[in-house]
């Protein structure tokens, strides 16, 4: 049976470390402030924003909340971002995605000051990551690296296969695994013979958004399996992209859903808020 990689426990440890750091900063008179912007009333986004604000409260980071109606125009949103860019009291800016369809997400991401881009989605952050320079790293892939490091999983020289090539998970994940000296293969929906490729992985990272897609026959014996997916099964229950029940019998280590990658994302957002002080 595979070792369970406990994201809940590891993320709690990270948040406690951040809490201690924030306290030390406060004693020196420095406060960390995150501005959280939500446009519209998407229920999933409301839950994510609430969880981010709760995490801020726990670690002692001040959060400023901007909840705008769904009819907010792109110009109005860009004006708010500009105002936050110029506010010296704001260290990080997070605009919750997805935005309503009349707003160009790329334009909003590009408008955020790269020094306050705690989500790591700005082209400057993405560029810095790909050439190995200091900068913000997208929270989910950064959290996966931290999960593996703190679980004692060796990445150097391993063959890592990533399923999915999105800008927020698959692509930055590939860059981070290269940084850890893994040999990286990125696959996607046009990949031929996916199973043959995933079966070669020492580390298999799956981010496709398809419930229980990866079954045991996609996995090499004793591989490390990281499941990024947040999907719902036929009964409406939260599950991942990996069929946990069958894969745990083959894998050497595996992340559960929930309680694996998910909690790490918010912990890394808190960590990025501290990075903002270094980049200031
Ligand atoms: P996305 O933007 O929809 O990208 C999905 C990727 O998977 C695309 O690159 C797509 O290929 C690929 N793909 C789809 N079907 C495939 C198949 N049958 N075989 C191989 N590749 C396939 O998704 P995302 O934003 O990366 O999110 C992926 C999953 O992770 C979702 O369940 C999401 O909810 C979850 N997620 C979780 C967290 C967290 O904090 N735990 C954070 C972010 C995302 P093409 O490029 O060819 O279309």
């Amino acid at each position: 049976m595979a070792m369970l990689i406990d994201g809940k426990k590891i993320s709690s440890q990270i948040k406690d470390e951040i809490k201690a750091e924030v306290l030390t900063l406060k004693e020196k008179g420095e406060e960390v402030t995150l501005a959280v912007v939500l446009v519209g009333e998407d229920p999933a986004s409301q839950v994510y924003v609430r969880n981010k604000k709760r995490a801020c409260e726990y670690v002692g980071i001040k959060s400023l909340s901007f909840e705008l109606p769904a009819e907010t125009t792109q110009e109005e949103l860009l004006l708010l971002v500009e105002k936050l860019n110029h506010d010296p009291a704001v260290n990080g800016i997070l605009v919750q995605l997805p935005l309503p369809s009349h707003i160009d997400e790329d334009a909003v991401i590009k408008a955020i000051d790269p020094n306050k881009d705690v989500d790591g989605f700005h082209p400057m952050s993405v560029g810095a990551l790909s050439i190995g320079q200091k900068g913000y790293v997208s929270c989910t892939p950064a959290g996966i690296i931290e999960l593996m490091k703190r679980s004692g999983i060796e990445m150097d020289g391993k063959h890592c296969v990533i399923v999915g090539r999105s800008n927020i998970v698959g692509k930055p994940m590939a860059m981070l695994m290269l940084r850890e000296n893994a040999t990286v293969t990125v696959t996607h929906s046009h990949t031929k013979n996916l199973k043959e490729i995933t079966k070669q992985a020492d580390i298999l990272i799956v981010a496709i958004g398809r419930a229980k897609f990866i079954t045991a026959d996609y996995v090499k014996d004793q591989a490390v399996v990281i499941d990024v997916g947040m999907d719902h099964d036929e009964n409406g229950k939260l599950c991942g992209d990996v069929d946990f029940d069958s894969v745990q019998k083959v894998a050497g280590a595996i992340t559960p859903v929930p309680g694996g990658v998910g909690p790490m994302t918010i912990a890394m957002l808190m960590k990025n808020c501290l990075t903002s002080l270094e980049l200031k």
Side-chain angles (χ1 to χ4, degrees), residues 19 35 39 68 70 85 91 135 165 186 212 219 226 239 241 246 249 254:
K19 192 175 181 172
V39 185
L68 310 177
N85 282 344
N91 304 89
R165 57 172 166 180
V186 182
K212 301 185 184 180
V219 179
I226 306 288
C239 70
D241 291 342
S246 72
K249 293 180 187 140
I254 187 168

Side-chain angles (χ1 to χ4, degrees), residues 181-194:
N181 296 320
T183 302
V184 181
T185 303
V186 182
T187 64
H188 45 78
S189 71
H190 295 248
T191 298
K192 305 255 190 299
N193 307 323
L194 181 66

Side-chain angles (χ1 to χ4, degrees), residues 140 164-166 168 188-189 207-210 213 228-231 262 265:
T140 302
R165 57 172 166 180
S166 69
I168 61 164
H188 45 78
S189 71
I208 55 176
R210 300 188 63 176
F213 182 88
V228 186
M230 294 227 293
D231 316 307
T265 301

Side-chain angles (χ1 to χ4, degrees), residues 64-120:
L64 301 175
S65 185
F66 299 87
E67 295 187 7
L68 310 177
E71 319 75 70
T72 303
T73 64
Q74 182 164 320
E75 288 66 32
E76 285 167 330
L77 180 57
L78 289 174
L79 270 178
L80 172 62
V81 169
E82 200 53 28
K83 195 173 132 223
L84 296 171
N85 282 344
H86 288 107
D87 186 342
V90 171
N91 304 89
I93 303 170
L94 182 149
V95 179
Q96 183 64 46
L97 303 179
L99 289 167
S101 56
H102 65 277
I103 298 179
D104 176 357
E105 273 182 10
D106 286 341
V108 176
I109 291 170
K110 267 195 228 156
I112 295 172
D113 177 348
N115 290 315
K116 298 187 178 186
D117 173 39
V118 284
D119 255 340

